Amino acid sequence: MLTASERKASTPATDASPRTTQEALRDRLVAELQEKDPGVALTSLQREMAQHPSLAGHCASLARALGRAAVQKYGSVQRAGRWSRPVCDTSFATGVSRMS
């Protein structure tokens, strides 16, 4: 009879591809945007870029994802665009505008 840990070890993984650091960060920032507001999430993004410069190459895509999430949250490009500020250049605004 197999123990629970032995069964788990012998069972194929359901998610073959592990999440990348930037995917995990994106999910956390989008959740923060949903719980609070885009300003809080953008501040967190800025902080993460300062603390982890190796993620800088992903900053624009993360900010665009936040822009899209803001439009989904507020249901309006205009309302979401009010949160726009220069994080990762204009990527948040680009994410907002692409939803129109």
Coordinates of all heavy atoms in Angstrom, one line a residue:
M1 N 0.8 -1.2 0.0 CA 0.0 0.0 0.0 C 0.9 1.2 0.0 O 1.8 1.3 0.8 CB -0.9 0.0 1.2 CG -1.8 1.1 1.3 SD -2.9 0.9 2.7 CE -4.5 1.2 1.9
L2 N 0.6 2.2 -0.9 CA 1.4 3.4 -1.0 C 0.9 4.5 0.0 O -0.3 4.6 0.3 CB 1.2 4.0 -2.4 CG 1.8 3.2 -3.6 CD1 1.4 3.9 -4.9 CD2 3.3 3.1 -3.4
T3 N 1.8 5.2 0.5 CA 1.5 6.3 1.4 C 1.0 7.5 0.5 O 1.2 7.5 -0.7 CB 2.7 6.8 2.3 OG1 3.7 7.3 1.4 CG2 3.2 5.7 3.1
A4 N 0.5 8.5 1.1 CA 0.0 9.7 0.4 C 1.2 10.4 -0.4 O 1.0 10.7 -1.5 CB -0.7 10.7 1.3
S5 N 2.3 10.5 0.2 CA 3.4 11.1 -0.4 C 4.0 10.3 -1.6 O 4.4 10.8 -2.6 CB 4.6 11.4 0.5 OG 5.0 10.3 1.2
E6 N 3.9 8.9 -1.4 CA 4.3 8.1 -2.5 C 3.4 8.1 -3.7 O 3.8 8.1 -4.9 CB 4.5 6.6 -2.0 CG 5.6 6.4 -1.1 CD 5.6 5.1 -0.4 OE1 4.5 4.5 -0.2 OE2 6.7 4.5 -0.1
R7 N 2.1 8.2 -3.4 CA 1.1 8.3 -4.5 C 1.3 9.6 -5.2 O 1.2 9.7 -6.4 CB -0.3 8.3 -3.9 CG -0.8 6.9 -3.7 CD -2.3 6.9 -3.4 NE -2.7 7.7 -2.3 CZ -2.8 7.4 -1.0 NH1 -2.5 6.1 -0.7 NH2 -3.2 8.2 -0.1
K8 N 1.5 10.7 -4.5 CA 1.7 12.0 -5.1 C 3.0 12.0 -6.0 O 3.0 12.5 -7.1 CB 1.9 13.1 -4.0 CG 1.9 14.5 -4.6 CD 1.9 15.5 -3.5 CE 1.9 16.9 -4.1 NZ 1.8 17.9 -3.0
A9 N 4.0 11.3 -5.5 CA 5.3 11.3 -6.3 C 5.1 10.4 -7.6 O 5.7 10.7 -8.6 CB 6.4 10.7 -5.4
S10 N 4.2 9.4 -7.5 CA 4.0 8.6 -8.7 C 3.0 9.1 -9.7 O 2.8 8.6 -10.7 CB 3.7 7.2 -8.3 OG 2.4 7.2 -7.6
T11 N 2.3 10.2 -9.3 CA 1.2 10.8 -10.1 C 1.9 11.8 -11.0 O 2.6 12.7 -10.5 CB 0.1 11.4 -9.3 OG1 -0.4 10.4 -8.4 CG2 -1.0 11.9 -10.1
P12 N 1.6 11.8 -12.3 CA 2.1 12.8 -13.2 C 1.6 14.2 -12.8 O 0.5 14.4 -12.4 CB 1.6 12.5 -14.6 CG 0.8 11.2 -14.5 CD 0.7 10.8 -13.0
A13 N 2.5 15.2 -12.9 CA 2.2 16.5 -12.6 C 1.1 17.0 -13.5 O 1.1 16.8 -14.7 CB 3.4 17.4 -12.7
T14 N 0.1 17.8 -13.0 CA -1.0 18.3 -13.8 C -0.5 19.6 -14.5 O -1.0 19.9 -15.6 CB -2.2 18.6 -12.9 OG1 -1.8 19.5 -11.9 CG2 -2.8 17.4 -12.4
D15 N 0.4 20.3 -14.0 CA 0.9 21.5 -14.6 C 2.4 21.3 -14.9 O 3.3 21.4 -14.1 CB 0.8 22.7 -13.7 CG 1.2 24.0 -14.3 OD1 1.4 24.0 -15.6 OD2 1.3 25.0 -13.6
A16 N 2.7 20.9 -16.2 CA 4.0 20.5 -16.6 C 5.0 21.7 -16.6 O 6.2 21.6 -16.5 CB 4.0 19.8 -17.9
S17 N 4.4 22.9 -16.8 CA 5.3 24.1 -17.0 C 5.2 25.0 -15.7 O 4.1 25.5 -15.5 CB 5.0 24.9 -18.2 OG 3.6 25.3 -18.2
P18 N 6.3 25.1 -15.0 CA 6.2 26.0 -13.8 C 6.1 27.5 -14.2 O 6.5 27.9 -15.3 CB 7.6 25.8 -13.1 CG 8.4 25.3 -14.2 CD 7.6 24.6 -15.2
R19 N 5.4 28.2 -13.4 CA 5.2 29.7 -13.6 C 6.6 30.4 -13.5 O 7.3 30.1 -12.6 CB 4.2 30.3 -12.7 CG 2.8 29.8 -13.0 CD 1.8 30.2 -12.0 NE 2.2 31.1 -11.0 CZ 1.5 32.2 -10.7 NH1 0.4 32.5 -11.2 NH2 1.9 33.0 -9.7
T20 N 6.7 31.4 -14.3 CA 7.9 32.2 -14.2 C 7.8 33.3 -13.2 O 6.6 33.5 -12.7 CB 8.2 32.9 -15.6 OG1 7.2 33.8 -15.9 CG2 8.4 31.9 -16.7
T21 N 8.9 33.9 -12.8 CA 8.8 34.9 -11.8 C 7.9 36.1 -12.2 O 7.1 36.6 -11.4 CB 10.2 35.4 -11.5 OG1 11.0 34.3 -11.0 CG2 10.2 36.5 -10.4
Q22 N 8.0 36.5 -13.5 CA 7.2 37.6 -14.0 C 5.8 37.2 -14.1 O 4.9 38.1 -13.9 CB 7.8 38.1 -15.3 CG 7.7 37.2 -16.5 CD 9.0 36.4 -16.6 OE1 9.8 36.3 -15.7 NE2 9.1 35.7 -17.8
E23 N 5.4 36.0 -14.3 CA 4.0 35.6 -14.3 C 3.4 35.6 -12.9 O 2.3 36.1 -12.8 CB 3.9 34.1 -14.9 CG 4.1 34.1 -16.4 CD 4.2 32.6 -16.9 OE1 4.6 31.7 -16.1 OE2 3.9 32.4 -18.1
A24 N 4.2 35.2 -12.0 CA 3.7 35.2 -10.6 C 3.6 36.7 -10.1 O 2.6 37.0 -9.5 CB 4.7 34.5 -9.7
L25 N 4.5 37.5 -10.5 CA 4.4 39.0 -10.2 C 3.2 39.6 -10.9 O 2.5 40.3 -10.2 CB 5.7 39.7 -10.6 CG 5.7 41.2 -10.4 CD1 5.5 41.5 -8.9 CD2 7.1 41.8 -10.9
R26 N 3.0 39.3 -12.1 CA 1.8 39.8 -12.8 C 0.5 39.4 -12.1 O -0.3 40.3 -11.9 CB 1.8 39.3 -14.3 CG 0.6 39.9 -15.1 CD 0.3 39.1 -16.3 NE 0.0 37.7 -16.0 CZ 0.5 36.6 -16.6 NH1 1.3 36.7 -17.6 NH2 0.2 35.4 -16.2
D27 N 0.4 38.2 -11.8 CA -0.8 37.7 -11.1 C -1.0 38.4 -9.8 O -2.1 38.8 -9.4 CB -0.8 36.2 -10.9 CG -0.8 35.4 -12.2 OD1 -1.1 36.1 -13.3 OD2 -0.6 34.2 -12.2
R28 N 0.1 38.6 -9.0 CA 0.0 39.3 -7.7 C -0.4 40.8 -7.9 O -1.2 41.3 -7.2 CB 1.3 39.2 -7.0 CG 1.3 39.8 -5.6 CD 2.5 39.6 -4.8 NE 3.7 40.1 -5.4 CZ 4.1 41.4 -5.4 NH1 3.4 42.3 -4.8 NH2 5.3 41.7 -5.9
L29 N 0.2 41.4 -8.9 CA -0.1 42.9 -9.2 C -1.5 43.0 -9.7 O -2.2 44.0 -9.2 CB 0.9 43.4 -10.2 CG 2.3 43.6 -9.7 CD1 3.2 43.9 -10.9 CD2 2.4 44.6 -8.6
V30 N -2.0 42.2 -10.5 CA -3.4 42.3 -11.0 C -4.4 42.0 -9.8 O -5.4 42.7 -9.7 CB -3.6 41.3 -12.2 CG1 -5.1 41.2 -12.5 CG2 -2.9 41.7 -13.4
A31 N -4.0 41.1 -9.0 CA -4.9 40.9 -7.8 C -4.9 42.1 -6.9 O -6.0 42.5 -6.4 CB -4.4 39.6 -7.0
E32 N -3.8 42.7 -6.7 CA -3.7 43.9 -5.9 C -4.5 45.1 -6.6 O -5.2 45.8 -5.9 CB -2.2 44.4 -5.8 CG -2.0 45.5 -4.8 CD -0.5 45.7 -4.6 OE1 0.3 45.8 -5.6 OE2 -0.1 45.8 -3.4
L33 N -4.5 45.2 -7.9 CA -5.3 46.2 -8.6 C -6.7 45.9 -8.4 O -7.5 46.8 -8.1 CB -4.9 46.1 -10.1 CG -5.6 47.1 -11.0 CD1 -4.7 47.5 -12.2 CD2 -6.9 46.5 -11.6
Q34 N -7.2 44.6 -8.4 CA -8.6 44.3 -8.2 C -9.0 44.6 -6.8 O -10.1 45.1 -6.6 CB -8.8 42.8 -8.6 CG -8.6 42.5 -10.0 CD -9.5 43.2 -10.9 OE1 -10.6 43.6 -10.6 NE2 -9.0 43.5 -12.1
E35 N -8.2 44.3 -5.8 CA -8.5 44.5 -4.4 C -8.5 46.0 -4.0 O -9.3 46.4 -3.2 CB -7.6 43.7 -3.5 CG -7.7 42.3 -3.6 CD -6.6 41.5 -2.9 OE1 -5.9 42.1 -2.0 OE2 -6.4 40.3 -3.1
K36 N -7.6 46.7 -4.6 CA -7.4 48.1 -4.2 C -7.6 49.0 -5.4 O -8.8 49.3 -5.7 CB -6.0 48.3 -3.6 CG -5.8 47.5 -2.4 CD -4.4 47.5 -1.8 CE -4.3 46.6 -0.6 NZ -3.0 46.4 -0.2
D37 N -6.6 49.5 -6.1 CA -6.7 50.3 -7.2 C -5.4 50.3 -8.1 O -4.4 49.8 -7.6 CB -7.1 51.8 -6.9 CG -6.0 52.5 -6.1 OD1 -4.9 52.6 -6.6 OD2 -6.4 53.0 -5.0
P38 N -5.5 50.7 -9.3 CA -4.3 50.7 -10.2 C -3.1 51.4 -9.6 O -2.0 51.0 -9.8 CB -4.8 51.3 -11.5 CG -6.3 51.0 -11.5 CD -6.7 51.2 -10.1
G39 N -3.4 52.5 -8.9 CA -2.3 53.3 -8.3 C -1.4 52.5 -7.4 O -0.2 52.5 -7.4
V40 N -2.1 51.7 -6.6 CA -1.4 50.8 -5.6 C -0.5 49.8 -6.4 O 0.6 49.5 -6.0 CB -2.3 50.2 -4.6 CG1 -1.6 49.1 -3.7 CG2 -3.0 51.2 -3.8
A41 N -1.1 49.2 -7.4 CA -0.4 48.2 -8.2 C 0.7 48.8 -8.9 O 1.8 48.1 -9.0 CB -1.4 47.5 -9.1
L42 N 0.6 50.0 -9.5 CA 1.7 50.6 -10.2 C 2.8 50.9 -9.2 O 4.0 50.8 -9.6 CB 1.2 51.8 -10.9 CG 0.3 51.6 -12.1 CD1 -0.3 52.8 -12.6 CD2 1.2 50.9 -13.2
T43 N 2.5 51.4 -8.0 CA 3.5 51.6 -7.0 C 4.3 50.4 -6.7 O 5.5 50.3 -6.6 CB 2.9 52.3 -5.8 OG1 2.4 53.5 -6.1 CG2 4.0 52.5 -4.7
S44 N 3.6 49.3 -6.5 CA 4.2 48.0 -6.3 C 5.1 47.6 -7.4 O 6.2 47.0 -7.2 CB 3.1 46.9 -6.0 OG 2.5 47.2 -4.8
L45 N 4.6 47.8 -8.6 CA 5.5 47.5 -9.8 C 6.8 48.3 -9.8 O 7.8 47.7 -10.0 CB 4.7 47.7 -11.1 CG 5.4 47.5 -12.4 CD1 6.0 46.1 -12.5 CD2 4.6 47.9 -13.6
Q46 N 6.7 49.6 -9.5 CA 7.9 50.4 -9.4 C 8.8 49.9 -8.4 O 10.0 49.8 -8.6 CB 7.5 51.8 -9.1 CG 6.9 52.6 -10.3 CD 6.5 54.0 -9.9 OE1 5.7 54.2 -8.9 NE2 7.0 55.0 -10.6
R47 N 8.3 49.5 -7.2 CA 9.1 49.0 -6.1 C 9.8 47.7 -6.5 O 11.0 47.5 -6.3 CB 8.2 48.8 -4.9 CG 9.0 48.4 -3.6 CD 8.1 48.3 -2.4 NE 7.0 49.3 -2.3 CZ 5.7 49.0 -2.4 NH1 5.3 47.7 -2.6 NH2 4.8 49.9 -2.3
E48 N 9.0 46.8 -7.2 CA 9.6 45.5 -7.6 C 10.7 45.7 -8.6 O 11.8 45.0 -8.6 CB 8.5 44.6 -8.3 CG 7.6 44.0 -7.3 CD 8.2 43.0 -6.3 OE1 9.2 42.3 -6.7 OE2 7.7 42.9 -5.2
M49 N 10.6 46.7 -9.5 CA 11.6 47.0 -10.5 C 12.9 47.5 -9.8 O 14.0 47.2 -10.2 CB 11.1 48.0 -11.6 CG 10.0 47.4 -12.5 SD 10.5 45.9 -13.4 CE 9.5 44.7 -12.6
A50 N 12.7 48.3 -8.8 CA 13.9 48.8 -8.1 C 14.6 47.7 -7.3 O 15.8 47.7 -7.2 CB 13.4 49.9 -7.1
Q51 N 13.8 46.8 -6.7 CA 14.4 45.7 -5.9 C 14.9 44.6 -6.7 O 15.8 43.9 -6.3 CB 13.3 45.2 -4.9 CG 12.9 46.2 -3.8 CD 11.8 45.7 -3.0 OE1 11.2 44.7 -3.2 NE2 11.5 46.4 -1.9
H52 N 14.4 44.4 -7.9 CA 14.8 43.2 -8.7 C 15.0 43.7 -10.2 O 14.2 43.5 -11.1 CB 13.7 42.2 -8.7 CG 13.3 41.7 -7.4 ND1 14.1 40.9 -6.6 CD2 12.2 42.0 -6.6 CE1 13.5 40.7 -5.5 NE2 12.3 41.3 -5.4
P53 N 16.2 44.4 -10.4 CA 16.4 44.9 -11.7 C 16.4 43.9 -12.8 O 16.2 44.2 -14.0 CB 17.8 45.5 -11.6 CG 18.0 45.8 -10.1 CD 17.2 44.7 -9.4
S54 N 16.6 42.6 -12.5 CA 16.6 41.6 -13.5 C 15.2 41.4 -14.1 O 15.1 40.8 -15.2 CB 17.0 40.2 -12.9 OG 16.1 39.8 -11.9
L55 N 14.2 41.9 -13.5 CA 12.9 41.9 -14.1 C 12.6 43.1 -15.0 O 11.5 43.1 -15.6 CB 11.8 41.8 -13.0 CG 11.8 40.5 -12.2 CD1 10.8 40.7 -11.0 CD2 11.4 39.4 -13.1
A56 N 13.5 44.0 -15.1 CA 13.2 45.2 -15.9 C 12.8 44.9 -17.3 O 12.0 45.7 -17.9 CB 14.5 46.1 -15.9
G57 N 13.3 43.9 -17.9 CA 12.9 43.5 -19.3 C 11.4 43.2 -19.4 O 10.8 43.2 -20.5
H58 N 10.8 42.9 -18.3 CA 9.3 42.5 -18.3 C 8.5 43.7 -17.8 O 7.2 43.5 -17.8 CB 9.1 41.3 -17.4 CG 9.9 40.1 -17.8 ND1 9.6 39.4 -18.9 CD2 11.1 39.6 -17.2 CE1 10.5 38.4 -19.0 NE2 11.4 38.5 -18.0
C59 N 9.0 44.8 -17.4 CA 8.3 45.9 -16.9 C 7.2 46.4 -17.8 O 6.0 46.6 -17.4 CB 9.2 47.0 -16.5 SG 8.4 48.3 -15.6
A60 N 7.5 46.5 -19.1 CA 6.5 47.1 -20.0 C 5.3 46.1 -20.1 O 4.1 46.5 -20.1 CB 7.1 47.3 -21.4
S61 N 5.6 44.8 -20.2 CA 4.5 43.9 -20.4 C 3.6 43.8 -19.1 O 2.4 43.6 -19.2 CB 5.0 42.5 -20.8 OG 5.7 41.9 -19.8
L62 N 4.3 43.9 -18.0 CA 3.6 43.9 -16.7 C 2.7 45.1 -16.6 O 1.5 45.0 -16.2 CB 4.5 43.9 -15.5 CG 5.3 42.6 -15.4 CD1 6.5 42.7 -14.4 CD2 4.4 41.4 -14.9
A63 N 3.2 46.3 -17.0 CA 2.4 47.5 -16.9 C 1.2 47.5 -17.9 O 0.1 47.9 -17.6 CB 3.3 48.7 -17.2
R64 N 1.4 46.9 -19.1 CA 0.3 46.8 -20.0 C -0.7 45.8 -19.5 O -1.9 46.1 -19.6 CB 0.9 46.2 -21.4 CG 1.5 47.3 -22.2 CD 1.8 46.8 -23.7 NE 2.6 45.6 -23.7 CZ 3.9 45.6 -23.8 NH1 4.6 46.7 -23.7 NH2 4.6 44.5 -23.8
A65 N -0.3 44.8 -18.8 CA -1.3 43.9 -18.2 C -2.1 44.6 -17.1 O -3.3 44.4 -17.0 CB -0.6 42.6 -17.6
L66 N -1.5 45.5 -16.4 CA -2.2 46.2 -15.4 C -3.2 47.2 -16.1 O -4.3 47.4 -15.6 CB -1.2 47.0 -14.5 CG -0.4 46.2 -13.5 CD1 0.6 47.0 -12.8 CD2 -1.3 45.4 -12.6
G67 N -2.8 47.8 -17.2 CA -3.7 48.7 -17.9 C -4.9 47.9 -18.4 O -6.1 48.4 -18.3
R68 N -4.7 46.7 -19.0 CA -5.9 45.9 -19.4 C -6.8 45.5 -18.2 O -8.0 45.6 -18.3 CB -5.4 44.7 -20.2 CG -4.7 45.0 -21.5 CD -4.4 43.7 -22.3 NE -3.5 42.8 -21.6 CZ -2.2 42.8 -21.7 NH1 -1.6 43.7 -22.5 NH2 -1.4 42.0 -21.1
A69 N -6.1 45.2 -17.1 CA -6.9 44.8 -15.9 C -7.7 46.0 -15.4 O -8.8 45.8 -14.9 CB -6.0 44.2 -14.9
A70 N -7.1 47.2 -15.5 CA -7.9 48.4 -15.0 C -9.1 48.6 -15.9 O -10.2 49.0 -15.4 CB -6.9 49.6 -15.0
V71 N -9.0 48.4 -17.2 CA -10.1 48.6 -18.1 C -11.2 47.6 -17.7 O -12.4 47.9 -17.6 CB -9.7 48.5 -19.6 CG1 -11.0 48.5 -20.4 CG2 -8.8 49.7 -19.9
Q72 N -10.8 46.4 -17.5 CA -11.8 45.3 -17.1 C -12.4 45.7 -15.8 O -13.6 45.4 -15.6 CB -11.1 44.0 -17.1 CG -10.7 43.5 -18.5 CD -9.9 42.2 -18.4 OE1 -9.3 41.8 -17.4 NE2 -9.8 41.5 -19.5
K73 N -11.7 46.2 -14.9 CA -12.2 46.5 -13.5 C -13.2 47.6 -13.6 O -14.3 47.6 -13.1 CB -11.1 46.9 -12.6 CG -11.7 47.3 -11.2 CD -10.6 47.6 -10.2 CE -11.2 48.0 -8.8 NZ -10.1 48.1 -7.8
Y74 N -12.9 48.7 -14.3 CA -13.7 49.9 -14.4 C -14.7 49.9 -15.6 O -15.6 50.8 -15.6 CB -12.8 51.1 -14.4 CG -12.0 51.3 -13.1 CD1 -10.7 51.1 -13.1 CD2 -12.7 51.6 -11.9 CE1 -10.0 51.2 -11.9 CE2 -12.0 51.7 -10.7 CZ -10.6 51.5 -10.7 OH -9.9 51.6 -9.5
G75 N -14.5 49.0 -16.5 CA -15.4 49.0 -17.6 C -15.3 50.1 -18.6 O -16.2 50.3 -19.4
S76 N -14.3 50.9 -18.5 CA -14.2 52.1 -19.3 C -12.7 52.5 -19.5 O -12.0 52.5 -18.5 CB -14.9 53.3 -18.6 OG -14.5 54.5 -19.1
V77 N -12.3 52.7 -20.7 CA -11.0 53.1 -21.0 C -10.7 54.5 -20.4 O -9.6 54.7 -19.8 CB -10.8 53.2 -22.6 CG1 -9.5 53.9 -22.9 CG2 -10.9 51.8 -23.2
Q78 N -11.7 55.4 -20.4 CA -11.5 56.7 -19.8 C -11.2 56.6 -18.3 O -10.3 57.3 -17.8 CB -12.7 57.6 -20.1 CG -12.8 58.0 -21.5 CD -13.4 56.9 -22.4 OE1 -14.0 56.0 -21.9 NE2 -13.1 57.0 -23.7
R79 N -12.0 55.8 -17.6 CA -11.9 55.7 -16.1 C -10.6 55.0 -15.8 O -9.9 55.5 -14.9 CB -13.0 54.9 -15.5 CG -14.3 55.7 -15.5 CD -15.4 55.0 -14.8 NE -15.1 54.7 -13.4 CZ -15.6 53.8 -12.6 NH1 -16.6 53.0 -13.1 NH2 -15.3 53.7 -11.4
A80 N -10.2 54.0 -16.5 CA -8.9 53.3 -16.3 C -7.7 54.2 -16.6 O -6.7 54.2 -15.9 CB -8.9 52.0 -17.1
G81 N -7.9 55.0 -17.6 CA -6.8 55.9 -18.1 C -6.5 57.0 -17.0 O -5.4 57.5 -17.1
R82 N -7.4 57.3 -16.2 CA -7.1 58.3 -15.1 C -6.0 57.9 -14.2 O -5.4 58.7 -13.5 CB -8.4 58.5 -14.3 CG -9.5 59.2 -15.1 CD -10.7 59.5 -14.3 NE -11.8 59.9 -15.1 CZ -13.0 59.7 -14.9 NH1 -13.4 59.1 -13.8 NH2 -14.0 60.2 -15.7
W83 N -5.7 56.6 -14.1 CA -4.7 56.1 -13.2 C -3.3 56.1 -13.9 O -2.3 55.8 -13.3 CB -5.0 54.7 -12.8 CG -6.2 54.6 -12.0 CD1 -7.5 54.3 -12.4 CD2 -6.3 54.9 -10.6 NE1 -8.3 54.3 -11.3 CE2 -7.7 54.7 -10.2 CE3 -5.4 55.2 -9.6 CZ2 -8.1 54.9 -8.9 CZ3 -5.9 55.4 -8.3 CH2 -7.2 55.2 -8.0
S84 N -3.2 56.4 -15.2 CA -2.0 56.4 -15.9 C -0.9 57.3 -15.4 O -1.2 58.4 -14.9 CB -2.3 56.8 -17.4 OG -1.2 56.6 -18.2
R85 N 0.3 56.8 -15.3 CA 1.4 57.5 -14.9 C 2.7 56.9 -15.6 O 2.6 55.7 -16.0 CB 1.5 57.7 -13.4 CG 1.7 56.4 -12.7 CD 1.7 56.6 -11.2 NE 1.8 55.3 -10.6 CZ 1.7 55.2 -9.3 NH1 1.5 56.2 -8.5 NH2 1.8 54.0 -8.7
P86 N 3.8 57.5 -15.6 CA 4.9 57.0 -16.3 C 5.7 55.9 -15.6 O 6.7 56.1 -15.0 CB 5.9 58.2 -16.5 CG 5.5 59.1 -15.4 CD 4.0 58.9 -15.1
V87 N 5.1 54.7 -15.6 CA 5.7 53.5 -15.0 C 6.1 52.7 -16.2 O 5.3 52.4 -17.1 CB 4.8 52.7 -14.1 CG1 5.5 51.5 -13.6 CG2 4.4 53.6 -12.9
C88 N 7.4 52.4 -16.4 CA 7.8 51.6 -17.5 C 7.5 52.3 -18.8 O 6.8 51.8 -19.7 CB 7.3 50.2 -17.5 SG 7.5 49.3 -16.0
D89 N 7.8 53.6 -18.9 CA 7.5 54.5 -19.9 C 6.0 54.7 -19.9 O 5.4 55.1 -18.9 CB 8.0 54.0 -21.3 CG 9.5 54.0 -21.3 OD1 10.1 54.9 -20.8 OD2 10.1 53.0 -21.8
T90 N 5.3 54.4 -21.0 CA 3.9 54.6 -21.1 C 3.1 53.3 -21.3 O 2.0 53.3 -21.8 CB 3.5 55.5 -22.3 OG1 4.0 54.9 -23.5 CG2 4.2 56.9 -22.1
S91 N 3.7 52.2 -20.7 CA 3.1 50.9 -20.9 C 1.7 50.7 -20.3 O 0.9 50.0 -20.9 CB 4.0 49.8 -20.5 OG 5.2 49.9 -21.2
F92 N 1.5 51.3 -19.2 CA 0.1 51.2 -18.6 C -0.9 51.9 -19.5 O -1.9 51.3 -19.8 CB 0.1 51.9 -17.2 CG -1.3 51.9 -16.5 CD1 -1.7 50.8 -15.8 CD2 -2.1 52.9 -16.6 CE1 -2.9 50.7 -15.2 CE2 -3.4 52.9 -16.0 CZ -3.8 51.8 -15.3
A93 N -0.6 53.1 -20.0 CA -1.5 53.8 -20.9 C -1.7 53.0 -22.2 O -2.8 52.9 -22.7 CB -0.9 55.1 -21.2
T94 N -0.6 52.3 -22.7 CA -0.8 51.5 -23.9 C -1.7 50.3 -23.6 O -2.5 50.0 -24.4 CB 0.6 50.9 -24.3 OG1 1.5 52.1 -24.6 CG2 0.5 50.1 -25.5
G95 N -1.6 49.7 -22.4 CA -2.5 48.6 -22.1 C -3.9 49.0 -22.0 O -4.8 48.4 -22.5
V96 N -4.1 50.2 -21.5 CA -5.5 50.8 -21.4 C -6.0 51.1 -22.8 O -7.1 50.7 -23.2 CB -5.5 52.1 -20.6 CG1 -6.8 52.9 -20.7 CG2 -5.2 51.8 -19.1
S97 N -5.2 51.7 -23.6 CA -5.7 52.1 -24.9 C -6.0 51.0 -25.9 O -6.8 51.1 -26.7 CB -4.7 53.1 -25.6 OG -3.5 52.5 -25.9
R98 N -5.3 49.9 -25.7 CA -5.5 48.7 -26.6 C -6.8 48.0 -26.3 O -7.2 47.1 -27.0 CB -4.3 47.8 -26.4 CG -3.1 48.3 -27.1 CD -2.0 47.3 -27.2 NE -0.9 47.8 -27.9 CZ 0.3 47.3 -27.9 NH1 0.5 46.2 -27.2 NH2 1.3 47.8 -28.5
M99 N -7.4 48.4 -25.2 CA -8.7 47.8 -24.8 C -9.9 48.5 -25.5 O -11.0 48.0 -25.4 CB -8.9 47.7 -23.3 CG -7.9 46.9 -22.6 SD -8.0 45.1 -23.0 CE -9.6 44.7 -22.1
S100 N -9.6 49.6 -26.2 CA -10.7 50.4 -26.8 C -11.1 49.8 -28.1 O -10.5 49.0 -28.7 CB -10.4 51.8 -26.9 OG -9.2 52.0 -27.7

